[in-house]
Amino acid sequence: MNDRNGDDDDPKGLQRGLTNYGDPDFSIYLRRSFAYSMGYSKEMLERPIVGIVDTASGLNNCHRSVPELVEAVKRGVLAAGGLPLAFPTISLCEPFLSPTSLMFRNLMSMDTEEMIRAQPLDAVVLIGGCDKTVPAQLMGAISADLPAIQLIIGPMLTHKRQGERLGACTDCRRFWAEYRGGRVSRSEIDKIEGGLATTAGTCAVMGTASTMACIAEALGMTLPGTAAIPAVHSDRLRAAEASGRQALVTAGLGLRPSEIVTEASVENALRVLLALGGSTNGVLHLAAIAGRRGIPLSLARLNKLSDETPVLVNLKPSGAHYMEDFFAAGGLGAVLRELKPLLHLDCRSVTGETLGERLAGEAGAWADREIVRALDEPFEPVGGLVALFGSLAPGGAILKRSAADARLFEHEGRAVVFSSLEDLSARIDDPALDVGPDDVLVLQNAGPRSASAMPEAGYLPIPRKLAEAGVRDMLRISDARMSGTAFGTIVLHTTPETAIGGPLGLVRDGDRIRLSVEGRRIDLLVEEAELARRRAEAPPAPSAPKRGYARLYAEHVTQADQGCDFDFLAAEG
Ligand code: FES
């Protein structure tokens, strides 16, 4: 933790964290000399400094609006008497990274943490949005522990095509499934491709980006009421200006992330994740965020909270509406007001206000009940996610029951196994594949330590011949992740993963697998003696990467139940 915060005797502004030349007076003289070269006046250089983490990138469409957000944050900082200084970090956009953006989340968190710590900042505003960016920034900010405010980029707007609303990316998947099933033509899908993501901002549904935005607000790391503002709405710029102003207040209060992200606020965030029918990735990221404070995220606790926390929002992929509707319906505040009896109200946000004080100030505020349901008339009676245990997942697995087919919740079927992503893409559409609608599709070797680094491949496509026959859902199991915008009866994050000898790797074609959502179990119905025989025959693990970040990642990434952080970055509990 940074021990340079919160003490009145600490150096401020440009005086902080001097470059070490063995002569502190020379260091500040030299630093000021170079700062003058940027054209700042002496008065400006004596102000407290608010860093602005600029994640604009030509390879991140979701962050297209970051330049104007940076300008709005600067306006707020200047108005409050500070000096705003923007600096870049790595930016991660889900569809532009190979093998998968998750692999680089920890790298972005390290970049964020180290640049916050190394530069002379009194506070920082972190601008993030696309899936992995907000968790990376929160992880980095918590570890650096400087007063910090998360500014969310906000979701895209939807667009109408032939009278039908489209929004990334639940509709991307829906149309792709229809195309695979032969119900949408090639020329149609080519046209649809151009109408799915039409504005700046993050995916337009309650996918991972929106889930993480709401988790950031539920933790208290954003300004209240800002998680769901669309990227192109003028309120988003006002939120940016207000975040810039607030950064100086938060710094003045000496209010650090370690006082905001606590066991209680993490539990509030978990409740919110469940009530939103939020992304399965949210569990993984929240575990990593909490891990930076040494707070374990127990999957057994998730199950208990899930039983007592209903889904309140009617948003895709679990429901019918989009993020812009959620914002107009009252946003996260409307959800928090309903959840109030279940929340820890003494948690503080970046404003210094407690959650209880915030909600008292919002008492009686309007909410659209079509989108945000009342606690006693929920959208679904129980939480959106459950953790499964059993012989196939001794360390746990995750199922998004709110986006799954309830007819498959108690299901036993025959395994059809794909040993890798390459095997999957080579055989899934083979007309000769021996597969039926009641079978269980199994994907191995797609966990955090696999060569593919836990991609969002858990949404295995329905084999083409079944899709063409009208099959829209099957039980699917893997050690991979799934996009927060996807839907289906899909068991993910199976732990321990195949690559470290987990039982998922022992499944063979024809084995029986049983899912019981009620019993919270996923079991491989094969005798232990047979499993021992298969274990003994398992091929040696493939050689690990020899250099660079890939080696660091392979040697230190933790399993999904611990958030896939690096073992050396998590704080001691
Ligand atoms: Fe950036 Fe979905 S691709 S949020």
Side-chain angles (χ1 to χ4, degrees):
M1 295 287 174
N2 189 332
D3 58 4
R4 292 187 281 126
N5 309 305
D7 185 333
D8 279 348
D9 296 334
D10 280 350
K12 300 282 188 295
L14 275 191
Q15 309 266 358
R16 294 173 71 97
L18 292 177
T19 315
N20 196 349
Y21 299 110
D23 177 353
D25 290 340
F26 174 73
S27 296
I28 186 61
Y29 153 79
L30 194 74
R31 179 175 286 174
R32 265 199 302 261
S33 303
F34 282 86
Y36 274 124
S37 81
M38 294 187 279
Y40 292 111
S41 62
K42 182 166 183 293
E43 183 222 347
M44 275 291 172
L45 293 180
E46 284 171 353
R47 288 183 170 201
I49 297 175
V50 175
I52 305 170
V53 180
D54 180 346
T55 51
S57 160
L59 285 159
N60 192 342
N61 62 284
C62 302
H63 288 208
R64 203 178 89 199
S65 58
V66 168
E68 65 174 2
L69 291 175
V70 169
E71 289 311 308
V73 175
K74 283 183 177 173
R75 203 161 66 219
V77 174
L78 286 169
L83 174 61
L85 295 177
F87 62 94
T89 66
I90 293 169
S91 186
L92 305 175
C93 187
E94 193 58 33
F96 289 100
L97 287 154
S98 175
T100 177
S101 65
L102 179 65
M103 182 169 171
F104 305 102
R105 182 201 62 185
N106 298 346
L107 183 64
M108 182 173 174
S109 87
M110 291 170 78
D111 181 359
T112 306
E113 174 185 343
E114 298 305 335
M115 288 303 99
I116 292 174
R117 185 179 282 126
Q119 299 178 122
L121 309 176
D122 295 285
V124 65
V125 176
L126 307 129
I127 305 180
C130 193
D131 290 17
K132 307 303 175 290
T133 59
V134 169
Q137 291 183 328
L138 290 174
M139 290 158 72
I142 290 167
S143 294
D145 211 24
L146 188 80
I149 298 180
Q150 180 77 57
L151 174 63
I152 299 298
I153 284 169
M156 294 178 201
L157 295 185
T158 56
H159 167 71
K160 269 196 172 172
R161 183 178 176 277
Q162 296 177 356
E164 185 184 8
R165 279 173 95 192
L166 299 184
C169 213
T170 304
D171 295 324
C172 318
R173 294 171 197 286
R174 179 166 61 85
F175 277 107
W176 191 251
E178 294 299 291
Y179 165 65
R180 285 179 54 79
R183 293 175 290 277
V184 164
S185 69
R186 181 75 237 183
S187 67
E188 270 297 285
I189 198 81
D190 287 345
K191 286 184 204 138
I192 288 164
E193 184 180 286
L196 290 162
T198 54
T199 74
T202 53
C203 286
V205 298
M206 188 50 78
T208 304
S210 299
T211 299
M212 292 315 302
C214 291
I215 281 180
E217 182 173 334
L219 284 169
M221 288 299 295
T222 71
L223 286 184
T226 58
I229 306 169
V232 298
H233 196 297
S234 59
D235 279 357
R236 178 54 68 198
L237 293 172
R238 278 182 281 278
E241 183 184 305
S243 298
R245 278 179 185 272
Q246 180 63 43
L248 286 158
V249 179
T250 306
L253 294 170
L255 194 49
R256 297 176 289 155
S258 56
E259 293 162 74
I260 296 169
V261 179
T262 61
E263 209 168 327
S265 70
V266 167
E267 188 154 301
N268 284 347
L270 199 49
R271 289 257 190 218
V272 162
L273 170 64
L274 294 163
L276 295 172
S279 166
T280 46
N281 285 315
V283 182
L284 193 126
H285 295 318
L286 189 55
I289 291 164
R292 294 299 180 99
R293 290 276 291 114
I295 301 166
L297 193 84
S298 151
L299 294 182
R301 181 78 183 141
L302 178 140
N303 276 344
K304 178 157 187 339
L305 297 184
S306 193
D307 285 343
E308 44 184 62
T309 311
V311 177
L312 296 179
V313 303
N314 179 6
L315 295 175
K316 288 178 183 245
S318 302
H321 300 282
Y322 294 89
M323 283 303 289
E324 66 203 64
D325 308 315
F326 182 51
F327 172 61
L332 187 68
V335 176
L336 293 172
R337 292 194 293 278
E338 289 306 311
L339 288 179
K340 188 174 170 189
L342 303 174
L343 297 175
H344 301 285
L345 298 175
D346 52 351
C347 296
R348 291 207 290 169
S349 80
V350 289
T351 63
E353 186 182 53
T354 66
L355 180 59
E357 288 164 346
R358 170 188 171 178
L359 297 183
E362 294 179 10
W366 180 83
D368 181 346
R369 290 287 171 235
E370 165 60 17
I371 315 280
V372 181
R373 303 284 168 82
L375 189 61
D376 54 2
E377 281 182 278
F379 183 63
E380 300 272 356
V382 286
L385 304 172
V386 283
L388 305 169
F389 300 92
S391 62
L392 202 44
I398 298 290
L399 171 75
K400 186 172 184 177
R401 61 178 162 185
S402 60
D405 185 343
R407 288 171 301 179
L408 291 170
F409 281 8
E410 305 298 317
H411 181 77
E412 186 184 314
R414 189 183 66 132
V416 177
V417 181
F418 301 93
S419 61
S420 65
L421 285 165
E422 294 72 27
D423 185 32
L424 175 72
S425 63
R427 293 194 299 121
I428 189 75
D429 289 338
D430 184 344
L433 182 69
D434 178 15
V435 65
D438 294 330
D439 289 341
V440 181
L441 303 181
V442 175
L443 172 63
Q444 300 167 325
N445 283 305
R449 291 217 178 198
S450 71
S452 53
M454 207 180 184
E456 291 188 338
Y459 178 73
L460 278 69
I462 303 293
R464 190 178 290 274
K465 65 181 180 183
L466 297 182
E468 285 172 350
V471 176
R472 286 191 160 84
D473 196 9
M474 293 173 72
L475 177 56
R476 290 161 267 181
I477 304 174
S478 72
D479 43 13
R481 296 177 299 119
M482 165 174 97
S483 163
T485 62
F487 47 87
T489 311
I490 297 172
V491 177
L492 304 153
H493 307 188
T494 303
T495 303
E497 64 170 302
T498 316
I500 62 166
L504 186 74
L506 303 178
V507 185
R508 299 290 178 266
D509 281 335
D511 288 350
R512 306 292 294 177
I513 289 176
R514 185 187 299 141
L515 167 69
S516 171
V517 174
E518 175 148 22
R520 306 286 188 269
R521 290 192 68 87
I522 184 81
D523 286 296
L524 176 60
L525 308 179
V526 174
E527 296 291 324
E528 181 48 44
E530 171 61 14
L531 293 178
R533 191 188 65 74
R534 293 178 190 177
R535 220 173 271 122
E537 281 179 358
S543 57
K546 296 248 179 317
R547 64 173 299 280
Y549 180 70
R551 175 172 168 174
L552 183 77
Y553 177 88
E555 288 177 355
H556 293 285
V557 69
T558 59
Q559 290 290 284
D561 58 334
Q562 294 169 283
C564 298
D565 200 0
F566 290 155
D567 49 14
F568 59 86
L569 291 176
E572 305 230 330

